[in-house]
Amino acid sequence: MTTVYERRTASRAAPSARLSPAGPLLALLWAGAAAVLALWWADTGSVVGAAGWLTGAGRLAGLLTGYACAVLVGLMARVPLLERRIGSDRVARWHAMAGRYTVCLLLAHIVLILAGYAAQDRRSLWHETVTVVLDYPEMLKATAGTVILLAVGVTSVRAVRRRTGYEFWYHVHLLTYAAVFLAFGHQVALGNEFSGDAAATGAWYALYLGVAALVVWFRVLVPVRLNVRHRLRVESVQPEAPGVWSVVVHGRRLAELPVEPGQFFRWRFLGAGLARTSTPYSLSAPPRGDRMRITVKALGGHSAAVALLRPGTRVWAEGPYGALTAGRRTAPKALLVAGGVGVTPLRALFETLPGEVTLLYRARTAADLALGAELEAIARWRGARVRYALNGPHGERPDLSAPALLAAFPDLAGHDVYLCGPHGFARDLYRELRAAGVPDRRIHHESFEL
C-alpha cells in the first residue's frame, strides 16, 4: 500500500527524557496503605483470646480491601499523567497486581471475620455466615459485590483468559465498578474505625468520591468531548499483509489532538458488530491533517472484523494513551525492535524519532512484513536503516541472542531501544538486551496484554 501521508523531516534535537512519576506515585499508594494500618491500630485496644485475634485481623484485612478497591478503580480511570508518563501497560500491570492483592485480602477478610464472630458467639461458621449476610446492615449488597469481585478475579486469571475472548473479559471487568459501589455501604456502616469518628469517615468518603470523580471525568466526559468535537469516521480500509489491515480515520480539527507518534487510542467502531467493545490499537503513522491511521492484525474475532468496516462508519475513540514516545529518549542513537504487528507504533516513531535510528523487524516470512514498503521509503529519505529477522527456509528462527545483537550493533549499550511485540517475544528480547549490556532505563517497551 502506498501511504497517504506526506513525508516529514525528522528533527535533530538533543536527547532528553521526562522524569517518570512512577516512583512518587508508588510511594503515595504505600503511604495510603500505611495510613489505613494506622487507622486500624488507633482504634484497636487490647486483643483477648482467639476470637479477638481473628476479628482484629479480619477488620484489618477488610480496611485494606476497601483501600485496595479504591486503588483498583483509580488505576482504571485512564488518568493522562499515568497513561502517558508511566505507560498504559505498566499501569495495567499495577492494576493486575493490585487486583490479586485485593482478592486475597477480601478472602482473608471474609474467613477471618466470620471465624472470629463464630468463636465469639459460640456458633457454627455456617450459622454465623447466614446471620451476618441476612441480618447485618448493608450486607446483602456487600455480598453481591463480593460475588462480582470474585468473578472478576477468576476471569482475570491467565489460564481462564486464554479460554475466553477479549470481549467477554472486557465486559466482566467493567463490573468492578458495580462491585465496589455495592460493597462501600457496609464499610462505613459496620467498620468500627468509622463509628463516631467524623474525620476517618470523611477521609474514606473523600477517597472514594475522588476516585469516582476521576473515572467520570477521564472515562466519560473527556471521551465525550473528544468525539463530539472531532466526529471521527472510517475513510478507508486497505490490506497490508496476510491478515493485516490498515484503517484510515478522518475527522475534524485532528491537529488539535495532543497525540505523539508511538501512542495509541482505544477504538470503538460503530459498525461490523464492533460497537460493544473498546480495543487499543496504535497509530501506525503520525497524524496528517484530518487523518489518522491504525494497522490491525486479525488475532481474534474483534480484530478480524476490522476488515469488514465500511467507509463512513462512525468511530468512538478514547486517548491518546501510551508512553512509547520520543519523550523517553536519552541517547543520540535508537534501535527500534518490532515483532509482528508490534511494528505499528514503531513505524510512526521510525519516521519522526530524532537522531540516528535503526529498525529491526522480526517476522516469520517476507510476506508477513506489514508496511515494509513504507519503512524502506522512510529509511531512504531520512538516511536510516531497516533490518529484517525472518525465519530460515526450513522454519528455523533467527538468532536474536545477546552475542548476535552485539555482533550486529557493537555499540548497542549506547542506544535507546524501543521494543514492541507479542508478550513472549518482548520478554525474551528484553532479557537478551540486558545481557548485551543495555541499561534498563534505556529499554522502552509497551504491551497491550492486559
Side-chain angles (χ1 to χ4, degrees):
M1 171 185 173
T2 301
T3 179
V4 298
Y5 302 95
E6 64 189 44
R7 298 176 180 177
R8 184 169 74 185
T9 303
S11 66
R12 301 287 174 176
S16 63
R18 302 169 184 164
L19 293 176
S20 171
L25 177 61
L26 287 175
L28 179 63
L29 294 178
W30 283 112
V36 170
L37 179 60
L39 176 64
W40 171 84
W41 181 266
D43 189 70
T44 301
S46 59
V47 180
V48 179
W53 283 104
L54 289 169
T55 303
R59 285 172 46 220
L60 176 58
L63 280 171
L64 290 172
T65 302
Y67 173 71
C69 283
V71 171
L72 270 181
V73 175
L75 292 175
M76 294 171 64
R78 297 178 186 166
V79 179
L81 176 66
L82 308 185
E83 298 280 338
R84 301 176 192 173
R85 295 288 303 281
I86 295 176
S88 296
D89 64 331
R90 192 174 183 184
V91 173
R93 288 195 297 271
W94 289 357
H95 173 76
M97 181 173 62
R100 290 189 287 271
Y101 287 149
T102 303
V103 171
C104 291
L105 287 168
L106 175 61
L107 292 173
H109 169 62
I110 294 170
V111 172
L112 291 169
I113 205 76
L114 290 176
Y117 286 174
Q120 179 178 308
D121 297 338
R122 296 183 180 180
R123 296 177 177 176
S124 70
L125 189 62
W126 172 253
H127 185 278
E128 197 66 37
T129 300
V130 173
T131 300
V132 168
V133 171
L134 297 182
D135 296 342
Y136 282 42
E138 299 287 339
M139 277 306 303
L140 282 175
K141 290 193 296 183
T143 301
T146 297
V147 171
I148 294 172
L149 198 59
L150 292 176
V152 172
V154 169
T155 57
S156 298
V157 174
R158 188 176 296 273
V160 178
R161 285 284 311 278
R162 294 194 187 102
R163 291 170 172 78
T164 58
Y166 172 81
E167 292 83 359
F168 174 80
W169 171 86
Y170 173 80
H171 288 104
V172 171
H173 216 67
L174 287 178
L175 294 175
T176 301
Y177 296 120
V180 173
F181 173 77
L182 290 169
F184 178 77
H186 96 287
Q187 297 176 41
V188 293
L190 300 176
N192 289 352
E193 294 76 14
F194 306 115
S195 179
D197 190 335
T201 303
W204 208 249
Y205 269 101
L207 172 66
Y208 272 79
L209 289 175
V211 168
L214 290 177
V215 172
V216 171
W217 182 261
F218 290 113
R219 295 206 64 164
V220 179
L221 299 180
V222 170
V224 166
R225 180 182 182 275
L226 183 153
N227 288 279
V228 169
R229 184 179 183 85
H230 298 292
R231 299 186 183 181
L232 304 174
R233 291 184 181 272
V234 172
E235 180 175 284
S236 63
V237 181
Q238 298 290 340
E240 298 287 1
V244 180
W245 300 78
S246 281
V247 180
V248 176
V249 174
H250 70 87
R252 302 188 310 168
R253 298 185 287 186
L254 294 188
E256 299 174 7
L257 279 174
V259 59
E260 299 180 62
Q263 291 187 309
F264 67 94
F265 288 78
R266 286 181 168 89
W267 305 89
R268 190 186 301 271
F269 298 100
L270 307 183
L274 301 176
R276 294 182 300 171
T277 305
S278 174
T279 306
Y281 297 122
S282 295
L283 298 183
S284 59
R288 293 288 188 266
D290 59 353
R291 293 180 175 88
M292 298 187 292
R293 188 185 70 179
I294 60 174
T295 301
V296 180
K297 183 175 179 62
L299 298 174
H302 187 280
S303 52
V306 167
L308 304 177
L309 290 171
R310 295 291 177 261
T313 300
R314 295 184 62 185
V315 180
W316 184 273
E318 300 174 40
Y321 303 122
L324 197 70
T325 67
R328 287 190 172 185
R329 193 172 61 98
T330 62
K333 295 182 180 181
L335 172 64
L336 315 182
V337 186
V341 78
V343 74
T344 53
L346 299 188
R347 181 261 178 248
L349 280 172
F350 190 51
E351 179 178 342
T352 59
L353 192 66
E356 183 179 326
V357 182
T358 301
L359 174 66
L360 177 62
Y361 191 171
R362 167 75 178 103
R364 286 180 297 178
T365 68
D368 295 314
L369 295 172
L371 309 175
E374 292 183 25
L375 296 172
E376 293 287 352
I378 293 170
R380 285 193 298 271
W381 67 258
R382 71 166 293 173
R385 294 182 296 170
V386 181
R387 297 191 178 188
Y388 303 104
L390 306 177
N391 289 358
H394 303 292
E396 57 271 22
R397 299 170 67 87
D399 184 6
L400 294 178
S401 64
L405 291 171
L406 285 171
F409 308 98
D411 57 345
L412 181 59
H415 286 64
D416 276 303
V417 180
Y418 288 77
L419 172 60
C420 191
H423 177 72
F425 167 81
R427 180 195 60 225
D428 294 343
L429 194 58
Y430 174 85
R431 184 174 59 246
E432 297 300 330
L433 289 167
R434 294 291 288 121
V438 182
D440 178 75
R441 69 181 184 278
R442 286 187 174 172
I443 303 176
H444 318 299
H445 55 92
E446 200 158 62
S447 169
F448 295 151
E449 187 164 290
L450 304 179

